[in-house]
Amino acid sequence: MLPVVGAFDVLAADELAGLAAVVVLEVGGVDGDDVSDVQAERVDVALVGGLQLIPAGIHHGDVVLDEGPEGLAGDATPEEWVMFDSLPAAFSLLDSLNSADQERVRGVVTTLTQGMEMDLTTFPAGDAGELAPLSTASDLDRYTYLVAGCVGEFWTTTMAAHQRELAGWDAGKMSEAGIRFGKALQLTNVLRDVPRDLRNGRCYLPADGLAAVGLSPEDLKDPQNAGRAKPVFEEWVRTALGHFYAAEEYLTAIPRRSVRLRLACLWPLLLGLATLAKVARSGRWLEPDSTLKVSRRWVYWMMLISPLKIRSNSLVRHWTGIHRRQVERTLGAPSSD
């Protein structure tokens, strides 16, 4: 979600920044590490109900908000109350936007809500002791669009509408690249979190791809099957890497003088590529105790030196290329778009 944060920072004088920060960052944060999986699932249910009010055009003063989250998810948790307490401010800001901005916000909220609904209806409750997969590669591609790709699309159209230096952008081409940027980040998360998701009844790796190598979702619970599952993982690593190529083109298309916009794209791009490289190299995709994350020290170092390189496309390409080549060497061949 870092590109979105960058958009809000740049648009600090525009009330769209506050509204999008409240709505989109809430949606992006419901699966955070500080919330248990069962709690995150309850927050998903409550938040879907709340966010559905925005596309419907219900205003912050309407009585439905006063009911709180209990009616949607049983006894309210602190996380649910935080979500609902922030909605009146979001509705107030929405009312203050011009019609074009309101349409963009309603569009991205509608799409994100569809992604959350897909997650909740496809998979069993986290404490049900059951396991369900996505069915096909198309399902996973659609899911990554609904929960992340649409944010790249939203960010692109929002920036193009508010930033003069982006007036020359090809809106269609850049929106597609923005979508792929979001998909790259979400697909990397999917590959990194396979063991955790399996424990909570969720298999995002499509069942048809697993069946092609003689595996079922249940087989992935056994780390000994990592070798048999390798072709499936590598296929999706290649897909993610192809999306990251598009993300790099997206970043370098931003004018060099737009330092803050470029940094807002560079940070998640590097973080995502470095994480994907760790996933590709590890071979421990099914180990429950594996931790495939870059260190905080690396993140701080990356953020510290990035302002020194951000104005140069050649330096940016060299930096991202280091991580791309790590992935490519693991796969044995360069990826393609």
Side-chain angles (χ1 to χ4, degrees):
M1 306 302 287
L2 276 172
V4 185
V5 176
F8 306 151
D9 190 33
V10 171
L11 290 176
D14 194 313
E15 290 194 344
L16 175 62
L19 173 60
V22 169
V23 176
V24 180
L25 290 181
E26 278 183 355
V27 175
V30 294
D31 291 323
D33 292 335
D34 294 332
V35 181
S36 73
D37 293 290
V38 174
Q39 285 178 314
E41 188 173 278
R42 286 169 51 85
V43 172
D44 276 357
V45 173
L47 189 56
V48 166
L51 292 179
Q52 284 174 335
L53 305 178
I54 292 179
I58 297 176
H59 298 278
H60 66 280
D62 290 343
V63 66
V64 68
L65 286 180
D66 296 331
E67 296 176 0
E70 295 105 318
L72 292 169
D75 294 332
T77 66
E79 291 80 13
E80 290 164 357
W81 275 115
V82 169
M83 296 268 188
F84 273 79
D85 284 345
S86 68
L87 283 176
F91 279 102
S92 180
L93 285 170
L94 179 61
D95 290 343
S96 71
L97 300 179
N98 63 49
S99 59
D101 285 341
Q102 286 192 20
E103 187 65 24
R104 278 188 285 270
V105 171
R106 287 195 173 105
V108 72
V109 169
T110 297
T111 306
L112 287 165
T113 304
Q114 290 171 353
M116 296 170 70
E117 289 177 328
M118 180 179 179
D119 205 66
L120 291 167
T121 58
T122 301
F123 303 111
D127 55 356
E130 302 173 359
L131 176 62
L134 292 176
S135 297
T136 67
S138 295
D139 290 334
L140 180 52
D141 183 69
R142 177 172 179 265
Y143 176 75
T144 58
Y145 170 73
L146 292 176
V147 302
C150 69
V151 178
E153 185 176 33
F154 168 76
W155 193 84
T156 302
T157 56
T158 300
M159 291 297 94
H162 288 269
Q163 300 299 301
R164 293 180 180 178
E165 61 266 38
L166 304 182
W169 264 12
D170 181 328
K173 178 181 178 181
M174 295 307 298
S175 289
E176 180 59 32
I179 289 171
R180 296 189 68 186
F181 197 159
K183 286 182 176 181
L185 299 174
Q186 185 62 30
L187 191 51
T188 299
N189 288 341
V190 165
L191 293 169
R192 181 197 64 192
D193 294 338
V194 166
R196 172 182 170 177
D197 290 332
L198 290 172
R199 291 196 302 271
N200 290 286
R202 302 173 178 222
C203 180
Y204 290 96
L205 296 178
D208 61 352
L210 294 173
V213 296
L215 292 173
S216 69
E218 286 288 343
D219 292 329
L220 298 184
K221 292 182 177 180
D222 183 356
Q224 297 299 318
N225 286 322
R228 295 172 61 194
K230 182 178 180 180
V232 177
F233 275 90
E234 289 189 340
E235 176 186 357
W236 287 107
V237 168
R238 286 190 178 92
T239 300
L241 190 57
H243 289 326
F244 275 119
Y245 272 113
E248 182 179 309
E249 295 304 312
Y250 186 96
L251 165 59
T252 55
I254 299 173
R256 299 179 188 185
R257 65 182 180 275
S258 302
V259 171
R260 293 163 79 184
L261 289 179
R262 287 168 69 96
L263 285 173
C265 290
L266 177 65
W267 292 342
L269 174 57
L270 286 172
L271 182 58
L273 274 172
T275 302
L276 186 65
K278 289 182 73 72
V279 170
R281 293 196 309 265
S282 75
R284 302 180 65 222
W285 308 298
L286 304 182
E287 295 284 348
D289 59 347
S290 64
T291 304
L292 301 176
K293 296 181 180 181
V294 298
S295 68
R296 289 188 179 183
R297 182 176 181 178
W298 181 90
V299 173
Y300 296 149
W301 169 82
M302 178 268 292
M303 296 178 72
L304 180 65
I305 69 171
S306 56
L308 303 176
K309 302 185 178 187
I310 194 61
R311 291 181 182 269
S312 169
N313 281 349
S314 61
L315 290 178
V316 166
R317 291 184 187 279
H318 175 74
W319 201 358
T320 58
I322 292 172
H323 300 290
R324 279 203 324 270
R325 286 188 291 274
Q326 290 176 352
V327 179
E328 291 168 353
R329 283 195 293 270
T330 301
L331 297 175
S335 70
S336 64
D337 287 343

